[in-house]
């Protein structure tokens, strides 16, 4: 429900609430000093950006710096193939609007990122949930059957560290998914926002790196690594790229050239790669600590996913616990979670919840987990 999404966002911004539902890294994990210096240099040397609108596709030096970043992921991209967006959310919205039509059916992972469920509903797209493994990702046999029967031509999927399951799709499956799009004249909208949030410092090739025909619309953002407050995402729209850029121009004109210039400065000096190493080490350590607390305090029979990247555990509770009720009860105790029902357009996963390890585990976190475990046990 939209009200739940709103409460999750509000809880994440309320410093008095223990952020077990927050989908953002803690401020201590962000490159605050480096970004502050980059912004100061831009303000000193390019203050004219305060009175300018950004280029149609975004600040050119940022797009040029991002080309080098994407090359490390196995994607060859010129600045002209990159569209800067207002976070990954706008990138996904533009991709959906250009690659599909209202009323059209889109194949999706199940469970799926709650914000994407809402976007699809607002854009009046029908959805076809495809079973998704917490270890290997979307079931491609079922996806192929659906595409072969004409039930869906467009699919939205994540290859690495999906929200909320955290899986890594095997390389063979990633290539197969792209070939399915080619075989059945379809398209893939790839959400790679957690691609840089590995727990082992390895870069996994996105689906886009196997794309030969422009059938993969690649969406990502710096929100989960450098900071959501910058609202800098990007889209490589493939064969729909010009339509995406035109739609962006007519809907929002552009983003902040000042912030885009600061991010470009940060990237071009090599600070981003160094920051990622520290970030990945920290979130892996936090995940280990939080998992231990869940196992200690939650009811016997609770199962936990084993993410290899990202910020989340997908937790299934035993018995007849309704995690939407648990969400409201926990919020009264100043603890935020995200109920499983938010990850399905049909209200499934009522016995599941997502817990975040995006913030350092403190004594307050330990007390909150103990209380949450008690509430979950009835």
């Amino acid at each position: 429900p939209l009200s739940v999404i709103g409460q999750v966002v509000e809880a994440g911004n309320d410093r008095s609430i223990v952020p077990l539902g927050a989908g953002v890294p803690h401020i201590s994990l962000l490159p605050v000093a480096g970004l502050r210096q980059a912004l100061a240099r831009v303000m000193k040397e390019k203050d004219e950006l305060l009175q300018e609108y950004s280029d149609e596709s975004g600040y050119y030096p940022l797009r040029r710096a991002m080309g080098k970043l994407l090359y490390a992921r196995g994607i060859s991209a010129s600045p002209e193939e990159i569209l800067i967006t207002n976070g990954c959310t706008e990138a996904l919205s533009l991709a959906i609007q250009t690659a599909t039509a209202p009323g059209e059916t889109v194949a999706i992972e199940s469970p799926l990122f709650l914000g994407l469920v809402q976007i699809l509903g607002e854009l009046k797209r029908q959805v076809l949930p495809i079973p998704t493994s917490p270890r290997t990702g979307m079931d491609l046999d079922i996806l192929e059957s659906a595409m072969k029967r004409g039930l869906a031509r467009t699919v939205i999927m994540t290859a690495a560290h999906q929200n909320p399951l955290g899986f890594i799709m095997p390389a063979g499956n990633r290539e197969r998914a792209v070939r399915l799009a080619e075989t059945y004249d379809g398209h893939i909208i790839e959400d790679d926002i957690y691609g840089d949030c590995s727990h082992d410092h390895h870069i996994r090739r996105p689906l886009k790196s196997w794309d030969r025909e422009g059938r993969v619309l690649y969406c990502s953002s710096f929100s989960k690594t450098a900071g959501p407050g910058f609202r800098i995402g990007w889209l490589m729209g493939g064969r729909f790229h010009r339509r995406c850029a035109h739609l962006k121009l007519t809907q929002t004109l552009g983003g902040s050239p000042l912030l885009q210039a600061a991010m470009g400065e940060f990237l071009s000096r090599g600070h981003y790669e160094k920051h990622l190493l520290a970030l990945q080490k920290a979130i892996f350590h936090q995940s280990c600590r939080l998992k231990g607390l869940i196992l200690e305090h939650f009811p016997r029979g609770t199962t936990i996913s084993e993410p290899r990247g990202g910020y989340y555990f997908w937790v299934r509770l035993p018995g007849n616990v309704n995690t939407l009720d648990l969400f409201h009860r926990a919020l009264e105790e100043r603890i935020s979670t995200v109920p499983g029902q938010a990850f399905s357009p049909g209200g499934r996963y009522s016995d599941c919840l997502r817990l975040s390890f995006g913030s350092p585990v403190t004594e307050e976190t330990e007390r909150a987990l103990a209380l949450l475990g008690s509430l979950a046990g009835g």
Side-chain angles (χ1 to χ4, degrees):
L2 184 59
S3 61
V4 171
I5 297 175
Q7 289 179 76
V8 170
V9 173
E10 289 178 10
N13 293 330
D14 189 335
R15 298 295 182 265
S16 70
I17 296 178
V18 181
L20 296 178
V24 296
H26 189 265
I27 187 67
S28 64
L29 303 181
L30 300 179
V32 176
L35 289 173
R36 184 185 293 121
Q37 293 170 5
L39 188 56
R41 281 193 294 268
V42 170
M43 284 293 293
K44 181 179 180 180
E45 300 170 7
K46 302 175 182 177
D47 58 359
E48 68 275 8
L49 292 176
L50 276 173
Q51 65 170 160
E52 295 180 3
Y53 291 104
S54 67
D55 293 341
E56 176 183 341
S57 295
Y59 190 65
Y60 188 87
L62 170 60
R63 288 185 281 131
R64 184 176 57 212
M66 286 177 57
K68 299 178 181 178
L69 180 69
L70 293 171
Y71 186 78
R73 301 182 184 182
I75 300 173
S76 179
S78 68
E80 289 72 25
E81 295 174 287
I82 300 170
L83 174 66
I84 304 299
T85 61
N86 186 36
C88 192
T89 298
E90 184 180 41
L92 290 166
S93 178
L94 292 172
I96 293 167
Q97 290 179 75
T98 53
T100 66
E104 187 173 334
T105 297
V106 179
I108 61 172
E109 296 160 332
S110 182
L112 179 72
F113 161 53
L114 67 165
L116 193 46
V117 172
Q118 189 63 35
I119 292 172
L120 289 163
E122 290 296 323
L123 294 177
K124 295 179 172 50
R125 269 55 173 182
Q126 304 298 316
V127 295
L128 178 65
I130 304 294
T132 303
S133 163
R135 294 184 180 274
T136 59
M138 183 178 285
D139 188 318
L140 297 185
D141 290 334
I142 295 179
L143 175 63
E144 181 171 16
S145 175
M147 297 183 78
K148 187 174 183 179
R149 294 161 59 195
L151 299 180
R153 292 179 58 248
T154 301
V155 55
I156 302 175
M157 66 168 61
T158 297
H161 319 138
Q162 185 247 23
N163 174 12
L165 298 179
F167 60 77
I168 295 175
M169 181 181 285
N173 288 26
R174 278 174 264 166
E175 183 175 10
R176 180 187 172 192
V178 177
R179 301 298 167 247
L180 288 178
E182 294 174 355
T183 300
Y184 297 103
D185 192 26
H187 301 94
I188 297 174
I189 298 173
E190 180 177 12
D191 181 357
D192 193 41
I193 192 171
Y194 294 96
D196 283 341
C197 298
S198 167
H199 292 176
D200 58 11
H201 306 308
H202 289 170
I203 297 176
R204 270 79 188 188
R205 287 178 57 185
L207 300 166
K208 183 66 178 176
S209 67
W210 276 278
D211 185 19
R212 302 176 300 196
E213 300 179 359
R215 293 183 180 276
V216 178
L217 291 79
Y218 181 71
C219 307
S220 192
S221 159
F222 293 112
S223 293
K224 306 302 180 182
T225 53
F230 264 67
R231 303 309 300 138
I232 295 178
W234 65 89
L235 167 63
M236 294 180 64
R239 55 178 58 187
F240 296 103
H241 192 77
R242 290 307 309 160
R243 288 172 59 186
C244 290
H246 178 72
L247 188 60
K248 162 75 175 174
L249 184 65
T250 58
Q251 289 186 346
T252 60
L253 186 59
S256 165
L258 188 66
L259 294 179
Q260 291 177 24
M263 185 61 73
E265 177 81 7
F266 185 73
L267 293 179
S268 64
R269 291 177 179 265
H271 297 323
Y272 183 71
E273 291 85 352
K274 296 178 182 178
H275 161 66
L276 283 183
L277 292 176
L279 173 69
Q280 292 167 356
K281 181 179 179 179
I283 58 178
F284 173 67
H285 177 68
Q286 290 169 189
S287 74
C288 293
R289 291 202 62 194
L290 194 73
K291 184 174 184 178
L293 292 172
I294 295 171
L295 291 173
E296 177 183 354
H297 295 294
F298 274 51
R300 180 174 296 181
T302 297
T303 60
I304 313 171
S305 62
E306 298 180 0
R308 298 169 63 189
Y311 293 94
Y312 313 112
F313 285 123
W314 184 245
V315 180
R316 174 165 281 133
L317 299 172
N320 297 316
V321 177
N322 185 308
T323 55
L324 183 57
D325 294 337
L326 180 63
F327 165 78
H328 291 294
R329 291 163 62 197
L331 207 53
E332 292 176 355
E333 301 291 345
R334 315 301 291 170
I335 303 169
S336 74
T337 64
V338 185
Q341 294 96 317
F343 296 89
S344 165
R348 299 181 60 196
Y349 309 113
S350 61
D351 58 345
C352 298
L353 74 157
R354 190 193 76 181
L355 296 179
S356 169
F357 43 84
S359 294
V361 178
T362 64
E363 291 183 1
E364 185 181 33
T365 310
E366 295 181 15
R367 289 193 294 269
L369 259 295
L371 177 54
L372 187 61
S374 176
L375 293 173

